[in-house]
Amino acid sequence: MASIESISKNLSWLPKPVARFFEKRMKNIPAVQKMVEKENDKLQATLEHSLKPYRGKYDSYAKLPASGLERDKILADIQKMHDQEIGTWEEGFVSGGIYNGNKEHIDFLNKVYALNSQSNPLHSDLFPSATKFEAEIISMVANMMGQGRTPDGAEIVGSVSSGGTESILLAMKTYRDRAREEKGITAPEMILCDSAHTAFDKASHYFGIKQVRIPMKADYSIDVDAARRAINKNTIVMVGSAPTFPHGIIDDIKALSDIALEHGIGFHTDSCLGGFITPFAEKLGYPVPIVDFRLPGVTSMSADTHKYGYAAKGTSVVLYRSAALRHYQYYTTTEWPGGLYFSPTIAGSRPGALSATCWAAMLSMGEDGYLRATKAIMETADVFRKGIQSIPELEIMGNPLWIFAIKSKDESMNIYEVLDQMSKRRWSLNGLHKPSCFHIALTLRHTQPGVAERFIKDLQESVAYVKTNPGSQEGLAPVYGLAATLPFRGMVSDILKKYLDVVYQV
Ligand SMILES: Cc1ncc(COP(=O)(O)O)c(C=O)c1O
């Protein structure tokens, strides 16, 4: 029986619809099902260890303990797991993930969290502090993104959400509802680059908005002309990233938002990743284009406070060019026996403590703190850039500022094997595909002395190892390779769902 790899190689030339046709039929053939199961078992075995390292080492609880445990015992277990997990990110081995990580900063945020752990912005009468925190967070971010007002004098407004994905979901739902009400559009479409974050894909699925994905140009930014050509009577919004998650590239936001304005459609700048870097990098004199409300066509933005805003995990801000637009985001209900109900975002009850922590993080950083942090990251990026460029087998993709996607210059070297070697040296980097590469998003963790030098040394050693020992069948390299090339995307999707099932196993 042929392996999935060989079938994949033989069929990878098939156009997508034909591959999907074959896939549907092949899925029902028992031999193929068996083969997929085998691949799946291989993957699960590889992942099991990293997903469930505590199995057998700690008590596990599939059911409630019959009587409550001592708090000391619970705390001791949590402390032990925390101590085991902290090293990798604290020492700067992780791409993105933990953006600040300074101990005093974390201790301060934890104090703020503790004081607010019962707070819920849904009950603004009980917790007016949460309302104050959120209004001020939004205003502070709006001021970073265009002095709080658009050039024509309108107030920039927004909401605090639970993260980048929710900010994006909210913005897309807003455009869908506006287009339905104001233009009668019932088959809405959004235009965005292949590289735009997959949260837009989620929005497409959740809210029934067709995605029109535009290819990247050779510099990994969106093909603006193709985006323009994709506009039709059902287009409700166009999206640009500042920067993109995979390659750290800032799309041509000015050109895109001008086109959107010309056609009377919305334009969303996804600054989830860059919202707390680009405004400060611009002030520091780095070559950063304008991506915010100073551009007349930009009608909404997302900026993540829980990334480079250095708040605890669980907050982001979505901003709109006008209060009228934000109204399409809100949810209100007037006929429910539970009373009049209104909530601005997707959740009902929300963690006020996270908003308090976000507010406190922003106040304690201040403009000077964000400028210092951005300068440190940009200077560290120079060391990374030069070091990566000094390795002849590798190539940095496009011209990014602080997120480096790295590919093999010569396709004969499998970049995923290099990634595996980096993992063996403790690095936790992101494997990407289409095209095959991996990336590192620099954070304050990487600005610590010696981290950049260690990365470059480990990268040099990893490349040298793969050159002399190519074709590894260990680690995740074969899995990444397969996932990148398998024409049967439904099968890849099924494997990912099984992965999630494992996540939920006790
Ligand atoms: C550009 C971009 N947009 C959106 C998101 C989604 O953010 P979150 O993971 O907070 O939902 C990310 C996450 O990395 C991102 O990089």
Side-chain angles (χ1 to χ4, degrees):
M1 162 73 72
S3 68
I4 285 210
E5 281 95 334
S6 65
I7 293 183
S8 138
K9 274 203 186 104
N10 289 333
L11 298 183
S12 55
W13 53 272
L14 286 177
K16 271 187 206 159
V18 183
R20 271 201 292 272
F21 175 82
F22 270 110
E23 178 174 2
K24 268 196 189 148
R25 266 146 196 78
M26 287 184 69
K27 250 182 150 176
N28 298 325
I29 302 172
V32 172
Q33 281 169 353
K34 230 179 172 175
M35 190 174 65
V36 172
E37 265 164 35
K38 212 175 106 198
E39 289 299 329
N40 190 43
D41 290 348
K42 248 176 27 195
L43 175 66
Q44 305 299 347
T46 313
L47 295 172
E48 179 111 0
H49 179 68
S50 64
L51 277 175
K52 304 285 168 182
Y54 300 132
R55 270 198 183 140
K57 295 194 179 134
Y58 289 82
D59 296 335
S60 67
Y61 307 96
K63 288 183 186 165
L64 271 179
S67 42
L69 305 180
E70 291 296 327
R71 287 179 180 152
D72 282 350
K73 140 95 180 139
I74 299 170
L75 279 172
D77 276 1
I78 292 175
Q79 182 75 51
K80 262 205 270 177
M81 288 186 260
H82 165 271
D83 294 349
Q84 204 159 321
E85 289 167 12
I86 189 173
T88 311
W89 61 258
E90 196 173 47
E91 293 166 44
F93 282 101
V94 177
S95 168
I98 283 76
Y99 291 81
N100 183 306
N102 171 276
K103 185 165 178 340
E104 286 82 48
H105 182 74
I106 295 173
D107 286 347
F108 167 63
L109 299 189
N110 290 347
K111 271 189 196 150
V112 177
Y113 188 97
L115 285 170
N116 291 274
S117 70
Q118 304 307 302
S119 164
N120 179 358
L122 188 66
H123 301 297
S124 47
D125 51 339
L126 286 180
F127 303 107
S129 56
T131 310
K132 168 183 163 65
F133 299 147
E134 293 202 341
E136 292 180 9
I137 292 166
I138 295 159
S139 178
M140 285 190 274
V141 180
N143 269 285
M144 284 161 45
M145 303 301 182
Q147 294 88 47
R149 293 197 170 266
T150 62
D152 36 314
E155 189 193 358
I156 298 166
V157 300
S159 285
V160 174
S161 77
S162 61
T165 298
E166 191 186 352
S167 287
I168 287 168
L169 291 176
L170 289 167
M172 295 305 106
K173 183 204 96 70
T174 296
Y175 288 116
R176 183 199 66 172
D177 290 0
R178 177 175 77 164
R180 192 160 50 195
E181 175 138 336
E182 296 183 5
K183 292 185 179 170
I185 293 177
T186 52
E189 296 185 13
M190 56 168 113
I191 296 174
L192 68 174
C193 189
D194 278 336
S195 58
H197 196 271
T198 195
F200 292 97
D201 192 62
K202 220 179 211 182
S204 152
H205 282 272
Y206 284 9
F207 303 130
I209 306 168
K210 181 179 165 194
Q211 298 180 72
V212 182
R213 288 271 180 176
I214 305 295
M216 294 176 270
K217 292 187 302 181
D219 64 359
Y220 301 97
S221 74
I222 188 170
D223 180 337
V224 173
D225 289 333
R228 181 199 298 273
R229 286 194 300 274
I231 295 177
N232 64 33
K233 64 178 182 11
N234 285 325
T235 307
I236 60 169
V237 61
M238 208 182 246
V239 172
S241 306
T244 60
F245 170 82
H247 315 112
I249 302 295
I250 300 180
D251 285 324
D252 189 344
I253 304 290
K254 170 149 180 27
L256 291 170
S257 60
D258 281 350
I259 294 171
L261 185 64
E262 197 185 302
H263 287 82
I265 57 177
F267 183 85
H268 184 87
T269 303
D270 179 10
S271 281
C272 282
L273 200 49
F276 280 78
I277 293 277
T278 55
F280 303 108
E282 186 186 331
K283 283 206 165 117
L284 290 166
Y286 285 93
V288 182
I290 295 178
V291 299
D292 57 30
F293 292 100
R294 287 170 290 174
L295 298 173
V298 173
T299 48
S300 61
M301 293 186 75
S302 43
D304 286 359
T305 38
H306 71 184
K307 293 192 173 82
Y308 294 96
Y310 308 126
K313 271 289 170 238
T315 60
S316 164
V317 170
V318 56
L319 296 173
Y320 296 101
R321 202 173 184 88
S322 72
L325 185 54
R326 181 174 58 178
H327 272 198
Y328 288 105
Q329 177 193 292
Y330 293 162
Y331 183 76
T332 61
T333 176
T334 53
E335 306 310 314
W336 181 44
L340 295 176
Y341 185 96
F342 45 94
S343 89
T345 59
I346 292 176
S349 289
R350 291 187 295 121
L354 287 182
S355 294
T357 309
C358 173
W359 180 80
M362 291 181 72
L363 292 189
S364 73
M365 288 296 296
E367 184 162 333
D368 60 344
Y370 286 119
L371 283 167
R372 268 197 307 276
T374 304
K375 186 162 183 285
I377 289 173
M378 290 298 165
E379 286 172 359
T380 304
D382 277 342
V383 183
F384 270 79
R385 187 181 295 107
K386 289 196 184 103
I388 300 165
Q389 283 169 342
S390 75
I391 303 175
E393 292 82 359
L394 300 179
E395 184 178 320
I396 294 175
M397 298 163 75
N399 189 18
L401 283 168
W402 76 99
I403 294 156
F404 297 110
I406 302 169
K407 75 193 250 299
S408 178
K409 231 183 236 166
D410 170 357
E411 293 305 323
S412 69
M413 190 180 69
N414 182 343
I415 197 69
Y416 298 130
E417 291 178 26
V418 178
L419 174 60
D420 269 346
Q421 285 303 313
M422 290 299 277
S423 306
K424 286 204 168 133
R425 289 163 176 77
R426 288 184 72 199
W427 290 93
S428 174
L429 309 172
N430 295 316
L432 318 172
H433 62 182
K434 296 176 180 288
S436 301
C437 60
F438 63 82
H439 89 188
I440 179 163
L442 300 185
T443 69
L444 284 176
R445 294 288 85 205
H446 303 111
T447 67
Q448 299 177 93
V451 175
E453 291 72 18
R454 186 175 64 206
F455 179 86
I456 299 307
K457 182 173 158 288
D458 286 345
L459 194 56
Q460 284 164 341
E461 286 177 10
S462 296
V463 169
Y465 180 89
V466 173
K467 273 182 78 181
T468 43
N469 304 276
S472 160
Q473 284 307 307
E474 287 175 20
L476 284 175
V479 176
Y480 280 124
L482 181 63
T485 54
L486 194 65
F488 303 140
R489 307 316 290 169
M491 287 187 193
V492 179
S493 178
D494 287 348
I495 289 173
L496 295 179
K497 284 177 186 165
K498 293 218 167 109
Y499 172 90
L500 286 176
D501 288 342
V502 175
V503 169
Y504 283 118
Q505 281 166 12
V506 175

